[in-house]
Amino acid sequence: MAHHKISKDNLFYAMSKENEAKLTVKLGDTVDIETHDCFTGQITSEEGSFGGLDWERINPATGPVYVDGVKSGDVLKVTINSIDISDTGVMVTGPGMGVMGDALKETLVRIYDVDTENNTADFNGLPLPVNKMIGVIGVAPPDEAVNNGTPDTHGGNMDCLKIAEGITLYLPVYHDGALFGLGDVHAAMADGEVSVSGLEVSANVNVTFEKAENLPTEHPVIINDEGIYLNVSDESLDTAVDTSVHKMAELLQPKTDLNMEEFTMLMSLAGHAQINQVVDPKKTARYFMPQYILDHYGIEFN
């Protein structure tokens, strides 16, 4: 299996079947993917004019990577082996941004130090724990191009804090080679991303590509040591939550000896409806079932 590298100079701002692949890899190959921060490095000072940002250069993803061996209708399996981040991060908020935008009067830009050895970020003297995660990750969508700020079934800007080191992400493939990309890495972010930004950093992400053999899905799925998460994006958060519950039931119930009524009871007792983000053009929810449930029913995915 080969090891590749792709620099952040290979970037795009919309996921599309029309994007030209910048790197071709085979199943089993590992890639170091270098990324810009979500502002493509435009913010270098807290004193600069935020209004001068080029909003066409937001949420760059590095790629696309063509994965030889996956075809339309397959599911791409992506293991996040490591995430190495920069030692400073940028945050912004202001009027009209995020959930609190209607209560804010001024635009605020802050640059915070990140201690990558002790895994803390200095928030005005308060050491916050670092939770490295990937905001934008996905494949070419089925039809029209989708800007990297918008999540959907192909992935995109899901802003899911569970997309971290050691997880495996499963993505439905709509075009041969998948045309994979990622970016918008955060040193820290909480569920909701209510200010419209996490602690935005540049990064190097090491991933391995495989083809899933027994996890059919129409939506992005994450598996980690805690269990399994199914992610759904929709303009309505209610619809995203409801769909994530239904799709998880459809995925897991047939692999148990429970009827759907019993499995629904189990979901109500042991599963969790959770929120990724509520600030993008489509909001994203995830439904979680813990690993001990999978273990009890002998459910394994590869």
Side-chain angles (χ1 to χ4, degrees):
M1 305 303 177
H3 179 213
H4 308 265
K5 295 182 180 180
I6 183 169
S7 79
K8 62 185 178 182
D9 295 333
N10 299 286
L11 75 165
F12 59 92
Y13 293 97
M15 295 190 177
S16 171
K17 61 185 178 182
E18 304 300 333
N19 289 341
E20 180 183 353
K22 302 300 183 180
L23 174 68
T24 297
V25 303
K26 296 184 181 299
L27 292 173
D29 286 359
T30 297
V31 184
D32 282 316
I33 302 176
E34 183 186 42
T35 70
H36 290 278
D37 69 21
C38 80
F39 301 108
T40 322
Q42 294 183 79
I43 297 177
T44 58
S45 168
E46 295 179 350
E47 308 304 322
S49 172
F50 188 66
L53 278 183
D54 181 354
W55 288 97
E56 300 298 316
R57 297 172 58 205
I58 302 297
N59 282 329
T62 302
V65 177
Y66 185 99
V67 184
D68 191 15
V70 294
K71 299 185 179 299
S72 175
D74 290 339
V75 173
L76 179 67
K77 178 181 178 182
V78 185
T79 301
I80 310 297
N81 301 310
S82 63
I83 303 173
D84 297 317
I85 59 173
S86 56
D87 58 8
T88 59
V90 178
M91 282 201 77
V92 302
T93 197
M97 298 182 190
V99 176
M100 289 291 292
D102 58 347
L104 304 179
K105 297 180 180 178
E106 297 181 1
T107 299
L108 184 65
V109 178
R110 286 288 182 264
I111 298 176
Y112 294 110
D113 291 329
V114 179
D115 185 339
T116 56
E117 291 188 5
N118 296 306
N119 286 320
T120 58
D122 181 7
F123 183 85
N124 299 341
L126 170 66
L128 291 176
V130 163
N131 61 315
K132 299 180 287 186
M133 50 81 66
I134 300 167
V136 172
I137 185 167
V139 299
D143 299 311
E144 300 300 319
V146 177
N147 73 74
N148 290 353
T150 302
D152 212 319
T153 58
H154 70 288
N157 196 23
M158 295 182 289
D159 281 317
C160 178
L161 60 80
K162 298 300 179 180
I163 302 180
E165 288 181 328
I167 69 97
T168 303
L169 174 66
Y170 297 81
L171 294 163
V173 175
Y174 301 103
H175 306 281
D176 292 356
L179 295 175
F180 173 89
L182 66 81
D184 184 35
V185 176
H186 303 113
M189 197 196 85
D191 280 335
E193 198 186 24
V194 297
S195 85
V196 91
S197 79
L199 186 52
E200 311 289 342
V201 293
S202 58
N204 187 83
V205 181
N206 181 271
V207 304
T208 301
F209 295 108
E210 298 171 276
K211 184 171 72 171
E213 299 297 340
N214 67 339
L215 198 158
T217 183
E218 302 168 350
H219 298 270
V221 171
I222 297 161
I223 294 179
N224 64 12
D225 292 340
E226 298 170 335
I228 185 169
Y229 304 81
L230 193 146
N231 296 261
V232 175
S233 300
D234 195 90
E235 293 177 1
S236 162
L237 182 60
D238 288 350
T239 300
V241 171
D242 290 354
T243 305
S244 69
V245 174
H246 280 275
K247 293 300 181 182
M248 184 67 88
E250 291 175 13
L251 178 64
L252 297 185
Q253 182 268 336
K255 297 181 179 294
T256 73
D257 58 0
L258 304 175
N259 61 36
M260 188 58 83
E261 288 75 17
E262 291 171 321
F263 191 79
T264 298
M265 289 180 177
L266 178 61
M267 293 179 79
S268 195
L269 291 171
H272 299 275
Q274 302 171 334
I275 295 171
N276 288 0
Q277 57 79 26
V278 291
V279 296
D280 294 335
K282 290 187 176 182
K283 299 171 175 60
T284 309
R286 63 182 185 266
Y287 190 83
F288 168 66
M289 286 294 278
Q291 184 63 41
Y292 75 87
I293 301 294
L294 305 184
D295 291 343
H296 178 81
Y297 291 101
I299 302 172
E300 295 182 356
F301 296 106
N302 56 28

